[in-house]
C-alpha cells in the first residue's frame, strides 16, 4: 500500500507505508511524530530497524522520525537491479518527495552515510536538507586505489562476496558476533540479542541486492559529493571501528567538507549507535539544536 501525502502537510508522520519508485521498486518506510523531520539511513545489510534506539529517542524529543529500508533490504522489494549509490539516492529523493520533506536532517550509518552524501549532494537543494550526519560512514571511498593508497584491498571485499555466496546465514552471524560491535575485543559486553537482531535484519533482505551492495559501499567514490555539500555536516566515528577504519574515512572526509565537524570516540566500534546509544544520541541532539 502506498500512502498519499497532501501537499503542504510536512510536519506529521503517517505511521508506515511504501513509496513506489520509477522502476516499480517498493521502498518501505516508517514515519512517526511531528516537528522537524530526521531521516535515518541504515548500513549494509540491515534495515530501518537498526535505528530503533534513535527513532524512539528523537520521537520523544519532539522530532518527526523517518527511516526506510533500502531497496533489496528489509521489507522493501528484493531488487536484482539498481543496487548502487545513484539509484539509492534517487530512491531517497522519491521518498522525500512522497512525504514532502523540507528542512530535514539526514543521518547515515556506514553504507547509509554514503547514501546520505550522494543524496544531499545531488538532491539536497531547495530547502529540502538542513543538516547531515555521517556515523562510521564509508565516504570518501573504502577501496584501495592509486588515488586512495590507505584503502582496503579488493581482496577484502571479494572475501565478503565469497562468504555471502557460500553461507549467508553464517556470515551474517559472524559479522555482528565479531568486529561490527567490537564483541571480539577483550572485556567486551556481548549482547546475544543485538547479534540476533543484526542477523534477523540481514536475512530479511535479498541475497542479490546484498551481494551487489558490497561493490556499492566499497568502490563508490564520494569525494566530489563531500566537496559539493553546503549544509553543516557532523562526522562521528569510533577510533576502534574495525569495519570502516577511521584513518581512510572520517579523517579524510572532514577535510573535504565545507561545513564539517568531526567527533572521534575513543574505543567505540562500528556499531556504536547501538552499543553506545546514550552517548551518540546526546551528541546528535546537541548538533541538531545548534
Amino acid at each position: 500500500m502506498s500512502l498519499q501525502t497532501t501537499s503542504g502537510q510536512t510536519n506529521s508522520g503517517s505511521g508506515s507505508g511504501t513509496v513506489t519508485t520509477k522502476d516499480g521498486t517498493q521502498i518501505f518506510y516508517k514515519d512517526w511524530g511531528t516537528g522537524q523531520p530526521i531521516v535515518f539511513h541504515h548500513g549494509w545489510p540491515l534495515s530501518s530497524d537498526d535505528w530503533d534506539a534513535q527513532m524512539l529517542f528523537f520521537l520523544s524529543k519532539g522530532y518527526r522520525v523517518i527511516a526506510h529500508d533500502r531497496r533489496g533490504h528489509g521489507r522493501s522489494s528484493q531488487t536484482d537491479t539498481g543496487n548502487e549509490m545513484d539509484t539509492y539516492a534517487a530512491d531517497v529523493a522519491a521518498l522525500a518527495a512522497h512525504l514532502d520533506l523540507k528542512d530535514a536532517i539526514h543521518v547515515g550509518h556506514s553504507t547509509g552515510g554514503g547514501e546520505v552524501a550522494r543524496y544531499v549532494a545531488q538532491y539536497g537543494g531547495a530547502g529540502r536538507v538542513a543538516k547531515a550526519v555521517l556515523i562510521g560512514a564509508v565516504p570518501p571511498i573504502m577501496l584501495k586505489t592509486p588515488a586512495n593508497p590507505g584503502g582496503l584491498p579488493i581482496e577484502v571485499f571479494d572475501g565478503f562476496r565469497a562468504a555471502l555466496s557460500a553461507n549467508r546465514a553464517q556470515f551474517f552471524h559472524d559479522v555482528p558476533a565479531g568486529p561490527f560491535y567490537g564483541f571480539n575485543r577483550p572485556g567486551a559486553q556481548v549482547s546475544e540479542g543485538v547479534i540476533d537482531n543484526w542477523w534477523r535484519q540481514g536475512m530479511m533482505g535479498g541475497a542479490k541486492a546484498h551481494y551487489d551492495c558490497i561493490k556499492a559501499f566499497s568502490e563508490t567514490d564520494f569525494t566530489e559529493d563531500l566537496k559539493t555539500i553546503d549544509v553543516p555536516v557532523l562526522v562521528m566515528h569510533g577510533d576502534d571501528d574495525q569495519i570502516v577504519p577511521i584513518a581512510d574515512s572520517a579523517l579524510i572526509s572532514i577535510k573535504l567538507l565545507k561545513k564539517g565537524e568531526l567527533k572521534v570516540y575513543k574505543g567505540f566500534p562500528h556499531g556504536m549507535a547501538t552499543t553506545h546509544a546514550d552517548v551518540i544520541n546526546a551528541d546528535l541532539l546537541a548538533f541538531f539544536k545548534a
Side-chain angles (χ1 to χ4, degrees):
M1 177 181 178
S2 181
L3 300 183
Q4 299 302 312
T5 305
T6 302
S7 178
Q9 294 181 347
T10 61
N11 65 342
S12 180
S14 54
S16 66
T18 61
V19 58
T20 302
T21 67
K22 290 180 179 179
D23 69 353
T25 298
Q26 287 196 319
I27 302 297
F28 172 86
Y29 65 87
K30 308 172 191 180
D31 180 13
W32 307 337
T34 61
Q36 185 178 16
I38 307 171
V39 183
F40 294 97
H41 306 241
H42 64 79
W44 173 93
L46 304 173
S47 75
S48 56
D49 293 353
D50 199 44
W51 292 109
D52 284 355
Q54 285 68 46
M55 294 275 284
L56 292 172
F57 177 82
F58 287 102
L59 181 64
S60 76
K61 297 297 181 182
Y63 290 89
R64 178 183 177 186
V65 293
I66 299 156
H68 66 290
D69 293 355
R70 184 173 303 115
R71 65 169 52 216
H73 297 62
R75 288 141 293 209
S76 293
S77 299
Q78 292 201 4
T79 46
D80 67 340
T81 59
N83 304 307
E84 36 73 25
M85 281 293 166
D86 283 341
T87 303
Y88 295 159
D91 290 346
V92 176
L95 176 64
H98 178 68
L99 299 179
D100 196 20
L101 301 181
K102 302 287 197 306
D103 196 36
I105 302 167
H106 285 262
V107 181
H109 174 240
S110 197
T111 299
E115 184 177 274
V116 166
R118 182 59 50 92
Y119 168 76
V120 175
Q122 293 191 353
Y123 302 97
R128 286 210 176 271
V129 177
K131 295 180 179 180
V133 182
L134 307 178
I135 304 177
V138 298
I141 181 173
M142 289 191 72
L143 184 67
K144 181 178 181 178
T145 67
N148 185 44
L152 296 172
I154 189 69
E155 288 78 13
V156 170
F157 305 109
D158 287 343
F160 287 1
R161 282 181 277 264
L164 187 151
S165 299
N167 189 340
R168 183 169 67 129
Q170 186 62 49
F171 183 41
F172 283 5
H173 176 272
D174 294 344
V175 173
F180 196 94
Y181 296 110
F183 290 160
N184 56 346
R185 295 304 198 205
Q189 294 185 342
V190 177
S191 169
E192 293 298 333
V194 165
I195 295 169
D196 291 347
N197 191 41
W198 201 101
W199 184 91
R200 176 191 67 84
Q201 291 177 69
M203 294 305 293
M204 286 173 66
K208 174 61 162 61
H210 287 164
Y211 187 96
D212 292 350
C213 189
I214 295 170
K215 179 181 178 70
F217 73 65
S218 64
E219 298 184 34
T220 305
D221 189 343
F222 299 98
T223 300
E224 295 306 314
D225 299 292
L226 295 172
K227 291 179 180 178
T228 298
I229 295 172
D230 199 32
V231 297
V233 181
L234 175 61
V235 180
M236 311 169 81
H237 218 104
D239 71 359
D240 193 33
D241 190 322
Q242 301 173 66
I243 303 297
V244 181
I246 189 172
D248 199 56
S249 53
L251 300 188
I252 299 176
S253 291
I254 194 64
K255 298 176 182 177
L256 300 171
L257 291 161
K258 296 175 184 177
K259 301 175 183 177
E261 174 187 349
L262 175 65
K263 291 188 75 72
V264 177
Y265 298 84
K266 184 173 178 59
F268 281 22
H270 187 60
M272 64 185 184
T274 295
T275 59
H276 298 79
D278 55 341
V279 176
I280 300 305
N281 289 352
D283 287 349
L284 286 171
L285 183 62
F287 175 68
F288 297 167
K289 289 185 171 183

